[in-house]
Amino acid sequence: MQPILRAGVIGVGSMGRNHARIYADMEGVELVAVADPDPDNRAAVAQKYRCHDYGHYGDMLAQEQLDLVSVVVPTRYHYAVARDVIHAGVALLIEKPIAATLEEGRNLIALARQKGVLMTVGHIERFNPAIIAMKQRLEHGDLGHLFQVNVRRVGPFPSRIGDVGVVLDLATHDMDILRYLTAAEINRMHVELGRHLHSHHEDMISAILRFDNGIVGMLDINWLTPTKIRELSVVGERGMLVANYLTQDLYFYENDWCQDKHWPELAQMGVSEGQVIRLKVQRREPLYEELRAFCTSVRHEAPPAVRPEDALEALA
């Protein structure tokens, strides 16, 4: 029988509470402590899950024997908190982005490597079942040669986020996913930013990206839209795949003329509307899958599903 992993959470605001909930319910894991400067936040979580609570994470690291920690604090504190966790020798998952700056991210990666501490970053969309299914179909060649990827991540302004704008809070999701799906690097981009409601940071980004394999990407991300939309589409020679992050639905829009042909013959055929197929996706909670993968890496001392180097590239 494998030993129980002892988990802690630093920062139990709205997202951190979900980390605590999952660790408390996960088989083979015990939530032993949480840390948060807000006494009401930490007391509520500690009472609900019967764990210890600390006003400062340093006291938690010093007094508890932890196997892993989630760092779920505002972005500006990522570096300082993660650095201290690494120095304590505890495996850690940092909610994305990895840090507020590239220098801080590089320093964390170097320190974790030097100390031999497993570190990963919470790029949660990697664990969305619709995205996993899309990745599998792209690798299988269901769309053939790829032309374009389009991302729409829009919704109302979240009052809880004051330290960063949509670039660090939202676009880092999509920069990571686009690299993950296309297996390519961005070599050119044109970006337009806007600030309309946020007092200090941008609340809108529109961008056109060019990947080194010729794929064109388009981003539409904002905190200005009065409904929440999370959608990604990939267009290729055989049709289009569309994933809905929220419902975890995945659709295939078939190019009817090209199903038995190959590029470059397809260039002579054009595009014809074919079947629309709703593909089977087994729905799961992405955060649960993310933390489960993190725990598996810790337990088996295996590389994490999301490398910190990938998180740094998304931030870059």
Side-chain angles (χ1 to χ4, degrees):
M1 185 175 179
Q2 293 180 322
I4 299 294
L5 293 175
R6 295 169 58 83
V9 178
I10 301 174
V12 283
S14 58
M15 190 64 178
R17 287 179 196 146
N18 285 316
H19 282 247
R21 167 181 59 83
I22 290 171
Y23 286 138
D25 291 342
M26 188 177 292
E27 185 178 353
V29 178
E30 178 187 2
L31 176 67
V32 298
V34 298
D36 195 291
D38 187 313
D40 294 332
N41 276 355
R42 65 177 186 262
V45 174
Q47 182 178 13
K48 185 172 184 178
Y49 300 117
R50 299 179 181 178
C51 65
H52 300 153
D53 66 287
Y54 296 86
H56 193 278
Y57 67 88
D59 295 331
M60 182 182 78
L61 294 173
Q63 297 180 40
E64 301 286 352
Q65 295 295 317
L66 298 169
D67 298 302
L68 57 95
V69 163
S70 283
V71 176
V72 198
V73 298
T75 301
R76 64 181 179 273
Y77 301 127
H78 281 194
Y79 175 73
V81 176
R83 179 195 58 201
D84 291 346
V85 175
I86 294 169
H87 277 299
V90 180
L92 70 160
L93 181 148
I94 312 169
E95 270 297 348
K96 64 95 201 108
I98 185 173
T101 69
L102 289 173
E103 182 181 10
E104 289 179 349
R106 291 190 191 102
N107 288 342
L108 287 178
I109 291 172
L111 182 62
R113 188 179 295 123
Q114 175 191 341
K115 298 292 186 180
V117 172
L118 186 148
M119 180 173 72
T120 187
V121 181
H123 280 283
I124 193 171
E125 302 294 23
R126 292 265 198 116
F127 301 89
N128 189 300
I131 297 301
I132 293 171
M134 177 183 277
K135 173 69 169 175
Q136 292 170 344
R137 289 183 174 274
L138 292 177
E139 290 179 340
H140 188 258
D142 285 17
L143 292 188
H145 183 71
L146 303 183
F147 304 137
Q148 188 180 64
V149 290
N150 300 283
V151 174
R152 195 171 186 209
R153 185 179 292 271
V154 301
F157 179 75
S159 57
R160 65 182 175 83
I161 298 176
D163 64 328
V164 295
V166 292
V167 170
L168 287 186
D169 187 61
L170 296 184
T172 43
H173 279 303
D174 300 303
M175 290 302 184
D176 179 65
I177 287 300
L178 293 182
R179 292 180 67 247
Y180 172 67
L181 290 177
T182 62
E185 300 295 338
I186 298 166
N187 60 18
R188 188 167 71 242
M189 65 173 70
H190 177 83
V191 178
E192 295 289 345
L193 301 176
R195 179 167 66 85
H196 302 280
L197 298 180
H198 204 294
S199 57
H200 296 97
H201 301 283
E202 78 290 341
D203 49 29
M204 180 185 77
I205 173 174
S206 299
I208 300 175
L209 318 173
R210 181 80 176 190
F211 291 83
D212 56 16
N213 59 3
I215 297 173
V216 172
M218 300 184 70
L219 296 182
D220 175 17
I221 301 173
N222 69 53
W223 282 329
L224 306 173
T225 304
T227 188
K228 189 173 183 179
I229 299 171
R230 301 285 188 268
E231 189 174 87
L232 184 147
S233 63
V234 182
V235 180
E237 60 190 13
R238 300 189 178 281
M240 176 175 69
L241 286 167
V242 179
N244 185 315
Y245 287 101
L246 300 178
T247 64
Q248 299 182 13
D249 287 318
L250 180 63
Y251 287 89
F252 175 47
Y253 292 77
E254 186 179 71
N255 178 2
D256 197 43
W257 282 353
C258 75
Q259 293 312 302
D260 298 319
K261 299 177 176 61
H262 300 279
W263 195 265
E265 182 185 1
L266 291 171
Q268 313 299 321
M269 300 300 298
V271 178
S272 174
E273 187 173 351
Q275 298 182 81
V276 178
I277 304 169
R278 182 173 176 271
L279 301 169
K280 184 177 180 180
V281 174
Q282 186 67 45
R283 291 176 175 82
R284 296 184 297 273
E285 182 181 4
L287 183 60
Y288 178 91
E289 296 301 316
E290 176 182 80
L291 296 184
R292 185 164 68 104
F294 173 43
C295 291
T296 298
S297 292
V298 172
R299 188 181 299 281
H300 298 289
E301 299 181 354
V306 178
R307 303 180 311 131
E309 292 82 3
D310 288 332
L312 190 69
E313 285 298 326
L315 179 61

